[in-house]
Amino acid sequence: MRQALSNHRASLSTIAIWAMFSRGLEPEFDVAVHKQVAHLEGPAREDGPQIKDLTHLPWCSIDNDDSRDLDQLTAIEEIGLSQMQVYVAISDVDALVKKDSPIDAHARHNTTSVYTSARIFPMLPERLCTDLTSLNQDQDRLALVVEMVFSDDGVLVSSTLYRAMVRNKAKLAYDAVSAWIEGDAELPDAARRVSGMNVQLRLQDELAQKLRVLRRAQGSLEFETFQPRAMFAGERIVDIRQQPQNRARQLIEELMIATNGCTARFLAAHGIASLRRVVRSPERWQRIVDVAHVYGVTLPRQPDGQALEAFLARQHQVDPLRFPDLSLVIVKLMGSGEYVVEDPQGEAIGHFGLAVQDYMHSTAPNRRYPDLLTLRLIKAVLSESPAPYSTDELAELAARCTAQEDAAQKVERQMRKSEAALLLHSRIGQTFDAIVTGADTHGTWVRIFTPPAEGRLRGEARDLRVGQPLRVKLVSTSVERGFIDFLPVH
């Protein structure tokens, strides 16, 4: 514990490495990967009629404040009679990371980047994902572009896919862009330096909100999950804050959902089996019906996304304090997402939570292996080359990507608990306002608000119910195990 108290980042990094190992994830790159990276001379360059020059477009990236692995750019322009043309550029990672190379082998093993506050474990070496294949500001990069035309009311009219050279004009961050959109702050400096970027962001936001309304009308589910993030000052954690949903995050989310639908339909139209991201219609729907009944709401007997969305929207409005806990309950009952291979002649399973039928992960090839696979499949179609993966290979990779994503999420959850335990260690003996978030045979669980953290309630808790407010006293923490224990204060 002494090391933990003196250097939070180093201690948490050590815990994260062991958490990676214990979940079957590789925290480090091997010698062969380092050798391959050392031989890379610079960003990928390719000429020819198949590569469009779109460096003139007012591209921008919007991501987290500290993100350096930039996967996609967006641009928009008004065309014709009340139509919008949207461009989404996706980093052409495959141009430097070839199938079965040492770098690809590591990426195929982990299948995803793992993000913890103390250390990031990137799927690709940093020189690639934060430099050579990152769509960095003022750098020319190869990309796959998905060009979409939307009607004035947000309906997709057409889409086209092709390869291009692009240049990021403004590296922007979610919170700053959202504050400007909502009128709470000035336009970020990086956007102000680009002529017309303010109009770009307004148009993208307006379209995204139309897309959001349309999806919600189809039964897209809006959750607010508990995802606190540790804040560092130097090597020490000084705070934990809940990551807010905001307009800029919605902007990127909606444009990426639209893009992922276009890439899925593109491969299907060309008769190519692909890796889809699905959330099946809930098998435990009756349990969801029972949860809604507790809140005085009657849901249909068969899975109905629109009815469930109406229930969630109502609860978010009438009880925002407890909505994250309700969200978690419904998410668990729905079941997690998974990767599956879908034949173009078969019926799409779809994504119940997003209320879309055609969906895959294709917009983050620096961070997720399924997106890199999809990029390779699309490039093969565009170049009229054989598919780089057989259906059997895709099936094996789908299972692996699902399993490793689950492992990565468990590492990230474990580290959030250790971060909270570390921050709260010096506050043992203090009391906090809390609410009950769960109860099972293993115990009763509570969430405190400042800082946002969850822990187990010791002592007598027979009469407590989920959602009940109470006062608790912090009695112990274990940074290594991520344990936080409270006692009720009567």
Side-chain angles (χ1 to χ4, degrees):
M1 181 57 69
R2 287 181 180 175
Q3 183 190 12
L5 294 176
S6 62
N7 190 325
H8 293 178
R9 194 183 298 274
S11 179
L12 288 169
S13 293
T14 300
I15 296 171
I17 288 171
W18 282 109
M20 291 279 286
F21 273 128
S22 70
R23 299 291 182 186
L25 298 163
E26 291 290 343
E28 310 293 350
F29 297 98
D30 64 24
V31 174
V33 172
H34 289 297
K35 285 183 178 179
Q36 185 183 351
V37 173
H39 283 91
L40 296 174
E41 297 180 355
R45 291 287 182 264
E46 222 175 298
D47 297 316
Q50 77 279 11
I51 309 293
K52 292 189 179 184
D53 183 357
L54 296 186
T55 54
H56 64 283
L57 286 178
W59 297 104
C60 70
S61 61
I62 310 176
D63 214 313
N64 292 314
D65 290 8
D66 54 356
S67 291
R68 297 168 59 214
D69 49 350
L70 305 181
D71 281 294
Q72 73 272 327
L73 308 176
T74 56
I76 192 170
E77 59 185 5
E78 295 178 285
I79 60 168
L81 296 173
S82 301
Q83 289 189 331
M84 290 291 176
Q85 188 154 291
V86 177
Y87 304 86
V88 174
I90 303 165
S91 174
D92 188 352
V93 173
D94 172 68
L96 287 181
V97 181
K98 298 302 182 184
K99 183 188 176 190
D100 297 330
S101 65
I103 297 174
D104 183 60
H106 179 94
R108 187 171 63 242
H109 180 89
N110 280 5
T111 79
T112 182
S113 294
V114 181
Y115 295 91
T116 75
S117 66
R119 179 180 171 186
I120 294 171
F121 300 90
M123 183 182 78
L124 303 177
E126 281 199 20
R127 187 176 172 226
L128 280 166
C129 66
T130 68
D131 182 10
L132 303 184
T133 58
S134 178
L135 301 178
N136 292 341
Q137 184 173 309
D138 301 325
Q139 299 292 320
D140 289 350
R141 292 288 186 267
L142 277 174
L144 172 73
V145 171
V146 181
E147 181 183 311
M148 298 170 282
V149 175
F150 292 92
S151 66
D152 187 52
D153 53 2
V155 175
L156 180 67
V157 176
S158 64
S159 64
T160 311
L161 278 69
Y162 51 83
R163 300 180 67 200
M165 187 68 74
V166 300
R167 173 180 279 252
N168 186 356
K169 301 296 198 301
K171 181 180 184 291
L172 305 173
Y174 288 126
D175 293 348
V177 171
S178 187
W180 172 75
I181 289 173
E182 295 174 357
D184 297 327
E186 297 293 321
L187 186 69
D189 288 342
R192 191 181 298 118
R193 288 193 292 265
V194 182
S195 176
M197 187 56 71
N198 58 333
V199 177
Q200 278 285 305
L201 294 174
R202 288 288 183 205
L203 291 175
Q204 291 186 37
D205 171 63
E206 289 170 7
L207 175 61
Q209 290 303 309
K210 291 176 184 177
L211 296 176
R212 188 165 179 257
V213 168
L214 289 174
R215 282 200 310 109
R216 292 190 71 170
Q218 294 296 318
S220 174
L221 306 179
E222 296 287 333
F223 296 111
E224 184 180 308
T225 52
F226 182 63
Q227 289 189 318
R229 188 177 185 190
M231 313 301 293
F232 278 80
E235 300 304 304
R236 294 180 62 82
I237 292 179
V238 294
D239 197 7
I240 293 177
R241 298 174 190 166
Q242 173 72 345
Q243 184 172 280
Q245 176 69 299
N246 58 40
R247 287 282 282 274
R249 292 182 188 277
Q250 291 171 0
L251 185 163
I252 294 300
E253 179 182 15
E254 294 302 333
L255 294 187
M256 295 310 110
I257 290 172
T259 301
N260 286 327
C262 291
T263 53
R265 288 186 292 273
F266 175 85
L267 289 173
H270 286 84
I272 305 296
S274 62
L275 213 61
R276 296 288 185 101
R277 177 68 174 181
V278 305
V279 172
R280 301 174 189 273
S281 181
E283 293 181 357
R284 292 180 286 181
W285 177 255
Q286 184 55 49
R287 295 276 304 279
I288 296 175
V289 171
D290 294 341
V291 170
H293 185 70
V294 173
Y295 291 86
V297 174
T298 301
L299 293 178
R301 297 181 63 179
Q302 297 300 318
D304 186 324
Q306 291 173 312
L308 180 56
E309 162 54 20
F311 162 61
L312 291 171
R314 171 182 174 272
Q315 288 307 122
H316 186 267
Q317 184 176 18
V318 302
D319 195 357
L321 184 66
R322 296 171 178 81
F323 188 68
D325 306 301
L326 173 62
S327 292
L328 182 59
V329 169
I330 299 299
V331 166
K332 286 182 176 179
L333 290 174
M334 282 179 54
S336 57
E338 61 182 300
Y339 295 102
V340 301
V341 178
E342 288 197 357
D343 185 274
Q345 278 74 47
E347 185 175 349
I349 296 171
H351 194 297
F352 185 84
L354 297 177
V356 292
Q357 195 68 11
D358 298 301
Y359 189 72
M360 62 179 13
H361 278 167
S362 64
T363 58
N366 274 305
R367 312 178 191 191
R368 292 186 305 228
Y369 199 65
D371 305 55
L372 181 53
L373 298 183
T374 295
L375 176 63
R376 288 172 176 156
L377 291 170
I378 292 172
K379 286 177 65 178
V381 172
L382 293 175
S383 64
E384 299 181 349
S385 302
Y389 300 96
S390 68
T391 302
D392 287 344
E393 282 180 291
L394 286 175
E396 182 181 337
L397 287 165
R400 177 161 194 84
C401 289
T402 299
Q404 294 298 76
E405 181 188 79
D406 179 64
Q409 290 174 348
K410 287 176 179 175
V411 169
E412 292 171 353
R413 282 197 298 269
Q414 179 180 338
M415 293 312 300
R416 285 197 293 269
K417 293 176 181 178
S418 290
E419 292 155 9
L422 188 49
L423 179 66
L424 288 169
H425 178 73
S426 62
R427 301 179 67 176
I428 290 175
Q430 294 185 16
T431 57
F432 302 84
D433 288 321
I435 61 171
V436 178
T437 59
D440 56 28
T441 55
H442 301 291
T444 301
W445 307 91
V446 298
R447 172 164 59 90
I448 63 174
F449 304 115
T450 308
E454 290 182 309
R456 185 177 177 181
L457 194 66
R458 287 191 195 169
E460 191 66 41
R462 289 181 184 173
D463 299 327
L464 296 177
R465 64 185 185 279
V466 173
Q468 181 175 333
L470 73 164
R471 191 82 176 159
V472 296
K473 179 181 178 181
L474 178 64
V475 292
S476 68
T477 66
S478 170
V479 177
E480 291 81 4
R481 301 173 74 185
F483 288 175
I484 301 172
D485 288 346
F486 299 97
L487 281 175
V489 177
H490 300 290

